[in-house]
């Protein structure tokens, strides 16, 4: 499942799950474009990767701005000529019960999580169309499938990503571009590290595999979808949740 000679762009990859996806892609031979909103963070991650011997570069971009995304894409295409793999990973949460949810918090989450997938896909799919090949992987969430009280904005954005994925898969299949989504469940991050023992046990009861997922688990699904092994898979959502949604 190696990704040698592939140019992979991962949004929101300075840290968290995106960083691990980029790390595994680089480990499998891809040249990874670390794209994030804060330049120093993206630069730090790219430099850390280069020290390990990986092929990496960094670019700054706010995925909510079409102009920003176009500027970033122009720089990448000038330097690398093409993007073979696009991972739309950048995402935020602004949780609240609906009656307390502000219009700003609704707009912010929909803008980064859903519009950000639209902007990056629309701009970067052009180079894939020319090359007549490409892999687009959108990071959704199990919350977009099962919903969650207090996360209506987040759930709507992630459900939107799944619908977008299916539609774009149909639009670009004839160009040999596959479009899939990965929907993680509870993933071990700084946020879940802070949970107390009782809250942790309650979560574990809901997960048949009895433990939290890791960024490595999510990245593994992305590596599969980006590889030749998944050439005949498009429009799908792979759920990485330890069986929680069964
Ligand atoms: P993190 O917050 O750790 O990382 C997200 C990255 O995206 C950060 O570096 C952040 O930068 C960047 N980012 C935020 N806004 C923008 C923007 N407008 N343009 C470009 N980059 C931006 O998140 P996770 O790693 O936890 O999550 C990654 C993805 O996985 C998200 O889409 C999330 O919804 C999804 N997911 C996560 C789960 C989890 O348990 N963690 C479970 C299910 C899905 P900065 O920090 O500077 O804002």
């Amino acid at each position: 499942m190696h990704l040698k000679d592939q140019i992979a762009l991962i949004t929101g990859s300075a840290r968290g799950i995106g960083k691990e996806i980029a790390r595994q892609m680089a480990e499998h031979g891809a040249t990874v474009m670390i794209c994030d909103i804060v330049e120093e963070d993206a630069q730090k991650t790219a430099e850390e990767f280069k020290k390990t011997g990986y092929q990496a570069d960094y670019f700054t971009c706010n995925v909510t701005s079409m102009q920003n995304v176009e500027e970033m894409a122009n720089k990448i295409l000038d330097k690398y000529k093409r993007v073979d793999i696009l991972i739309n990973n950048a995402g935020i949460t602004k949780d609240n019960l609906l009656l307390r949810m502000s219009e700003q918090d609704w707009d912010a989450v929909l803008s980064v999580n859903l519009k950000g997938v639209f902007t990056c896909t629309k701009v970067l799919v052009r180079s894939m169309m020319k090359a007549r090949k490409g892999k687009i992987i959108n990071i959704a969430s199990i919350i977009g499938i099962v919903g969650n009280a207090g996360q209506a904005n987040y759930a709507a954005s992630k459900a939107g990503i799944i619908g977008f994925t299916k539609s774009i898969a149909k639009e670009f299949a004839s160009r040999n571009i596959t479009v899939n989504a990965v929907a993680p469940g509870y993933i071990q991050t700084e946020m879940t590290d802070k949970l107390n023992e009782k809250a942790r046990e309650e979560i574990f009861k809901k997960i048949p595999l009895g433990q939290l997922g890791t960024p490595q688990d999510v990245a593994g699904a992305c590596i599969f979808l980006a590889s030749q092994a998944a050439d005949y898979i498009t429009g799908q959502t792979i759920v990485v949740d330890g069986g929680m949604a069964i």
Side-chain angles (χ1 to χ4, degrees):
M1 297 203 300
H2 63 83
L3 304 175
K4 197 166 173 293
D5 300 328
Q6 302 290 294
I7 309 291
L9 187 165
I10 305 100
T11 67
S13 50
R15 65 191 181 93
I17 293 171
K19 181 177 177 184
E20 179 57 22
I21 296 170
R23 199 195 60 74
Q24 284 198 24
M25 295 240 149
E27 179 92 36
H28 282 78
T31 300
V32 294
M33 311 286 114
I34 307 297
C35 298
D36 216 299
I37 196 164
V38 179
E39 182 167 12
E40 303 82 73
D41 295 349
Q43 182 178 18
K44 196 169 151 224
T45 296
E47 274 164 12
E48 183 189 316
F49 282 6
K50 282 199 251 177
K51 274 187 202 142
T52 320
Y54 297 150
Q55 308 273 4
D57 204 342
Y58 70 93
F59 296 87
T60 317
C61 154
N62 180 346
V63 296
T64 67
S65 156
M66 184 61 95
Q67 195 189 330
N68 246 227
V69 172
E70 274 170 351
E71 284 164 6
M72 171 188 72
N74 288 341
K75 284 185 201 154
I76 294 175
L77 295 173
D78 275 354
K79 196 163 170 188
Y80 294 95
K81 309 300 171 211
R82 58 180 215 282
V83 169
D84 304 295
I85 302 164
L86 167 65
I87 315 278
N88 285 308
N89 164 79
I92 59 168
T93 51
K94 288 196 184 287
D95 300 348
N96 223 329
L97 294 169
L98 184 73
L99 294 180
R100 293 191 199 132
M101 188 176 286
S102 68
E103 189 181 349
Q104 287 91 327
D105 284 355
W106 173 271
D107 287 346
V109 169
L110 269 289
S111 191
V112 177
N113 297 10
L114 189 53
K115 186 185 173 193
V117 175
F118 160 72
T119 55
C120 293
T121 304
K122 183 172 158 124
V123 170
L124 287 151
V125 79
R126 290 185 206 130
S127 104
M128 295 180 180
M129 284 167 73
K130 270 196 211 143
R132 294 212 155 250
K133 73 178 181 73
K135 306 267 189 188
I136 299 173
I137 300 160
N138 301 320
I139 307 302
S141 166
I142 194 64
I143 302 303
I145 299 171
V146 301
N148 197 21
Q151 289 197 301
N153 51 359
Y154 186 75
S157 72
K158 296 298 186 178
I161 287 178
I162 293 171
F164 178 89
T165 299
K166 291 179 190 173
S167 305
I168 301 309
K170 286 185 174 173
E171 283 191 31
F172 294 104
S174 64
R175 307 297 179 105
N176 196 28
I177 298 167
T178 65
V179 190
N180 291 290
V182 171
Y186 276 107
I187 303 301
Q188 203 165 350
T189 57
E190 282 168 28
M191 190 180 73
T192 45
D193 285 346
K194 286 180 201 146
L195 292 172
N196 64 34
E197 212 41 50
K198 190 159 179 287
R200 204 169 266 273
E201 272 170 28
E202 285 306 310
I203 290 174
F204 287 174
K205 274 188 215 157
K206 295 184 196 155
I207 305 174
L209 285 178
Q211 57 192 10
L212 297 176
T214 62
Q216 287 82 349
D217 294 322
V218 180
C222 295
I223 297 293
F224 166 65
L225 288 172
S227 76
Q228 280 183 3
D231 276 355
Y232 198 56
I233 298 175
T234 198
Q236 302 305 304
T237 299
I238 297 192
V239 176
V240 182
D241 71 342
M244 198 175 81
I246 297 170

